[in-house]
Amino acid sequence: KERGTVEKTGFIIFAGSPDGVMDEFHNPYAYNLFRLDTQGGHVTERITGHVLSGIEFPSINTTIDQITYNISSNFDPTTTPDGNILFSSTQANGSRAGGKGRVMLCVDNWDGAYPRPIYGNCEGEVGGASGRSQAKITSGDRRLVYVESPYMNWGVGQLASVSWDAPYNKTYERLTKDDGGLYRSPYPLPDDRMLVSYAERGDFGIYWFDFKNGKAGELVHNDPEWNDHQPAPIYVKYRPRWINTFTAGKNLGVTTVTYQPFDQVKVEGYPHSWATWICFDTTLTDIPVGPYPHQKAKDTKRGDVKAVRIVEGTQCVEPDASRFKVGAGSHLLGGCRSSSNSGTAFQQRRIIGYQYVEDDGSVVTSQTADTPYYIQNLDERGMAVQTALVWAYLRPYHGRICSGCHDGSYRGRAFQNQHAKALYNWWYDDR
């Protein structure tokens, strides 16, 4: 069918983990998000003008495409009012948070093209290494409400929130008081009420949340024989604005921020095609100097960063957990699971390559898509002066823009180096 004539329906976004996979915390799973097209790719065609390749199941007229690539886990997806996918993302790369790792709240486009952290990934943010899950956005004051747990693998805890429009420490608020109970499955409604699953001891029921007193209020339903979770009221929901990240139509091309030539895109077939990323200024950061992996080894200015090292993370597919000795690196800085290439972590790394950094601090490069990676800034001796501890990835034919390390555009400094030498040379240098 031609674009626009397919019966309109939505995607199904779900979290799944392949068999035999281990994450860094010795759990026998590592979830990622998948997009299920219930019309065999025609939903994507209706939005973009062409069918993006995926795993096709013609017998049931369904196409499935993996949209996130994280060595740890991505889970609890939900839709935001502006058409993004909001989810929890475990970040356990190296010795983060003393070897405990972090769970951040993250958003991404529906095609996986532009993941960006929202809250919980940075040193010093309220909540520390606690779990953050089951996030939802309220309608009136646009608060990001989520379950804050003492451990990453807990699905219950207390309710907390930050502003959706300004997710900083100063907007953090603990919603629940210390009443001894546990909460999960918050579900805000358009009238600013919120349903929640709550248990004082062991039996979870569905309650209206009392914002004024910070606790479960009026009981809605409680079956004493079952734990009641995940309330989903039926009401007229908002219609999200689809974020179209494709611009090249049916002739598989490039996006607005991908700097690849068309012929390269056509030669490199999905799912191992290439994509491009650019950083306008590798020295733009507010990370302090210090001895820990999330800190800088030394201060840098433009011209000090000579190259970047791009490191790939490979998923551990190992059904036999006894092959790895838990705690083998307990003597190392960062705790028992901090070693990057030993039995202390269910991940291995290998170098994708290096790229030259211009004297204005900018860098642009292409690499394989759908590959978990992180980058390191290198000085004139080839020593790492700063390491990114978040697993990044690129989708085929797409591009990513980095404005600096931990220095977002909302601070007014991120995109001042728009006329970056790396971008200019990428287009015009014929070497």
Side-chain angles (χ1 to χ4, degrees), residues 214-226:
K215 63 180 183 179
E218 179 185 352
L219 176 66
V220 176
H221 176 75
N222 187 11
D223 187 333
E225 302 296 325
W226 298 88

Side-chain angles (χ1 to χ4, degrees), residues 147-430:
V147 175
E148 189 174 74
S149 309
Y151 306 105
M152 286 196 297
N153 59 350
W154 274 33
V156 297
Q158 302 301 310
L159 298 183
S161 73
V162 293
S163 169
W164 169 244
D165 300 300
Y168 317 133
N169 268 347
K170 63 181 180 181
T171 68
Y172 172 89
E173 180 183 3
R174 176 76 173 269
L175 299 180
T176 52
K177 312 300 182 184
D178 294 324
D179 59 0
L182 295 173
Y183 295 82
R184 66 168 300 171
S185 308
Y187 202 111
L189 274 68
D191 60 6
D192 290 334
R193 295 184 297 168
M194 185 169 71
L195 288 168
V196 68
S197 178
Y198 170 77
E200 184 176 358
R201 289 294 182 266
D203 179 29
F204 281 85
I206 306 300
Y207 295 82
W208 291 109
F209 185 70
D210 183 349
F211 282 95
K212 181 178 180 180
N213 296 306
K215 63 180 183 179
E218 179 185 352
L219 176 66
V220 176
H221 176 75
N222 187 11
D223 187 333
E225 302 296 325
W226 298 88
N227 285 317
D228 304 297
H229 299 301
Q230 300 178 338
I234 299 176
Y235 62 92
V236 178
K237 300 181 180 179
Y238 55 78
R239 187 174 184 178
R241 174 177 60 87
W242 284 110
I243 299 176
N244 188 351
T245 56
F246 302 91
T247 59
K250 297 181 179 180
N251 184 25
L252 287 180
V254 297
T255 69
T256 54
V257 293
T258 300
Y259 309 113
Q260 289 178 270
F262 280 88
D263 57 347
Q264 181 179 352
V265 172
K266 292 178 181 178
V267 170
E268 302 287 349
Y270 186 89
H272 298 295
S273 190
W274 284 45
T276 303
W277 62 265
I278 179 173
C279 180
F280 289 125
D281 192 346
T282 55
T283 65
L284 184 59
T285 179
D286 62 357
I287 299 296
V289 174
Y292 297 102
H294 64 273
Q295 297 173 327
K296 295 186 299 183
K298 61 182 180 181
D299 281 321
T300 56
K301 61 183 184 300
R302 291 182 179 178
D304 291 344
V305 178
K306 303 300 184 181
V308 293
R309 178 189 292 125
I310 307 165
V311 184
E312 176 185 353
T314 60
Q315 192 80 66
C316 175
V317 182
E318 174 55 67
D320 184 8
S322 64
R323 285 170 52 88
F324 295 85
K325 182 179 179 181
V326 177
S330 59
H331 62 289
L332 300 173
L333 177 66
C336 64
R337 296 181 176 122
S338 62
S339 178
S340 62
N341 270 305
S342 73
T344 63
F346 283 116
Q347 64 176 239
Q348 297 295 300
R349 298 140 194 245
R350 56 191 177 192
I351 296 175
I352 295 177
Y354 296 81
Q355 185 58 268
Y356 168 77
V357 174
E358 301 286 347
D359 58 15
D360 66 348
S362 62
V363 59
V364 63
T365 191
S366 289
Q367 63 190 63
T368 53
D370 292 348
T371 301
Y373 74 94
Y374 64 92
I375 65 172
Q376 293 179 307
N377 290 344
L378 308 181
D379 62 13
E380 70 281 357
R381 298 184 300 154
M383 302 297 289
V385 296
Q386 189 169 356
T387 299
L389 294 181
V390 178
W391 291 114
Y393 53 89
L394 301 165
R395 296 312 316 276
Y397 327 123
H398 284 220
R400 291 288 303 277
I401 293 177
C402 171
S403 59
C405 182
H406 196 262
D407 218 29
S409 59
Y410 56 81
R411 303 186 182 186
R413 301 192 297 270
F415 294 102
Q416 291 184 1
N417 191 25
Q418 294 182 30
H419 301 287
K421 288 186 178 180
L423 180 57
Y424 181 87
N425 290 339
W426 186 259
W427 280 107
Y428 298 108
D429 194 344
D430 58 0

